[in-house]
Amino acid sequence: MVGAGQLARMTCQAAIGLGIGFRVLAASSTDSAALICADVTTGDYTDLPGLLAFARGCDVVTFDHEHVPGGHLAELEAAAGPAVRPGPAALRYTQDKLAMRERLRALGVPCPRYAPVTDLAGVTACAREWGWPVVLKAVTGGYDGRGVWVSGTPAEAAAVLAHPVAVFAEEHVGFEAELAALVARSPHRQAAAYPVVQTVQRDGVCREVLAPAPGLPAAVARDAQRTALELAAELEVTGLLAVELFAAGGRLLVNELAMRPHNSGHWTIEGARTSQFEQHLRAVLDLPLGDPRPTAPHVVMANIFGAGGGPGPSGPGVSPGSGVSPRASAVSPDIYSRFVHVMAADPGVKVHMYGKQVRPGRKIGHVTVLGGGPAGLRERAARAAAYLSTGNEDSE
């Protein structure tokens, strides 16, 4: 797997259970997956010779991010060696958002209205048709709210355009909910679909995932799954495909695509018969796909965010009695001192930490709870995530 973030870390854990040899290309030995993976190559994914050397001896190369240059992907695919899954033709539509919009429009997939723009005149022309605010999106490189600007006035749009970033304009959608449909597809064209979930975002960053999406009519959920499965086939995706959607005015509009394990699928570790990480491995290795059905009526996942800086592995030791070695992770030891309270207060909470250095606003882990009604589960998940983040149960 190219990339060694938390997605690679959790994929590595699934690979261990399957007895699959798993290698990661990490930017640093302190990357999330590099801390736990037995086979780590440290290097730069933009260095083509290094990328090709990393891939030698592998059966399959896959990815935990979309940032490997397209030309490198083509060279990797052309090299006599591993299968590249998903391939560069499919990954293009996650790397180039304008190309993705144009492809979806050609397929007749409902999306927000959009237009290529290069100057303020182009943005104001869009605003005359759609109204303000206008959303400006980076054509490449955006994720987790980065590369997305909601411009309410011409002056705000001009400030965005002043940056040396290629953007396109998109209408601002007043949606009722944000949804995600996660599917998997293998080279043998077997496919599987997980329940459609609701994602709760703040400042463009996912905070919670509710599985299945509460109150979503069954017919709408089936439509979202069908759209995702059809896109996986049309784009020839191998592995996981996450389709992020807006539910707006009785319609579903496709917002974003991701061809890898996805934050909207973390709930599947405990909440589905086959986790998204195992499913991705099965798909890219062309093994029969696993059962995607849920293990409980409702599942809630809440992300844990860094509330402040903290010492890394070389800093002070973990609090006495925590039972966790500072060598095990780059997370601030203060996080581990909070385990006792969280686990004692709610033994049903499942905690997943990513071994990442704490920075304000950075995703450093997640918690998952399973059970009956979603309202109570949301409260439990939010309370646990807030305490792990700040030492206070108040999620606000």
Side-chain angles (χ1 to χ4, degrees), residues 304 335 338-339 342 351 353 367 383-391:
I304 303 167
I335 298 292
R338 298 167 189 159
F339 273 20
V342 168
V351 179
M353 301 304 297
V367 298
R383 186 167 60 241
Y387 193 85
L388 288 168
S389 175
T390 67

Side-chain angles (χ1 to χ4, degrees), residues 189-261:
R189 301 179 183 175
Q190 185 188 12
Y194 288 94
V196 177
V197 302
Q198 180 178 350
T199 63
V200 180
Q201 315 273 336
R202 188 183 305 164
D203 299 325
V205 180
C206 181
R207 299 282 167 167
E208 295 176 279
V209 175
L210 317 177
L216 187 68
V220 178
R222 286 194 297 271
D223 185 34
Q225 289 175 314
R226 185 182 305 111
T227 296
L229 288 167
E230 290 175 351
L231 282 174
E234 289 284 353
L235 302 179
E236 298 186 341
V237 175
T238 302
L240 287 175
L241 171 66
V243 180
E244 298 180 58
L245 307 112
F246 295 135
R251 301 176 66 213
L252 293 177
L253 303 175
V254 172
N255 180 36
E256 298 282 356
L257 304 178
M259 298 176 190
R260 51 170 171 75

Side-chain angles (χ1 to χ4, degrees), residues 282-350:
R282 288 184 180 219
V284 299
L285 292 168
D286 208 9
L287 297 169
L289 298 183
D291 187 346
R293 288 178 296 172
T295 59
H298 296 279
V299 187
V300 173
M301 186 281 299
N303 282 318
I304 303 167
F305 293 88
S314 61
V318 181
S319 300
S322 69
V324 180
S325 164
R327 292 174 59 85
S329 171
V331 174
S332 166
D334 290 343
I335 298 292
Y336 294 112
S337 70
R338 298 167 189 159
F339 273 20
V340 172
H341 174 85
V342 168
M343 294 175 178
D346 192 341
V349 170
K350 302 297 290 186

Side-chain angles (χ1 to χ4, degrees), residues 341-366:
H341 174 85
V342 168
M343 294 175 178
D346 192 341
V349 170
K350 302 297 290 186
V351 179
H352 297 265
M353 301 304 297
Y354 303 154
K356 295 165 71 173
Q357 183 70 48
V358 174
R359 293 202 300 263
R362 188 187 200 188
K363 289 179 192 172
I364 57 173
H366 73 268

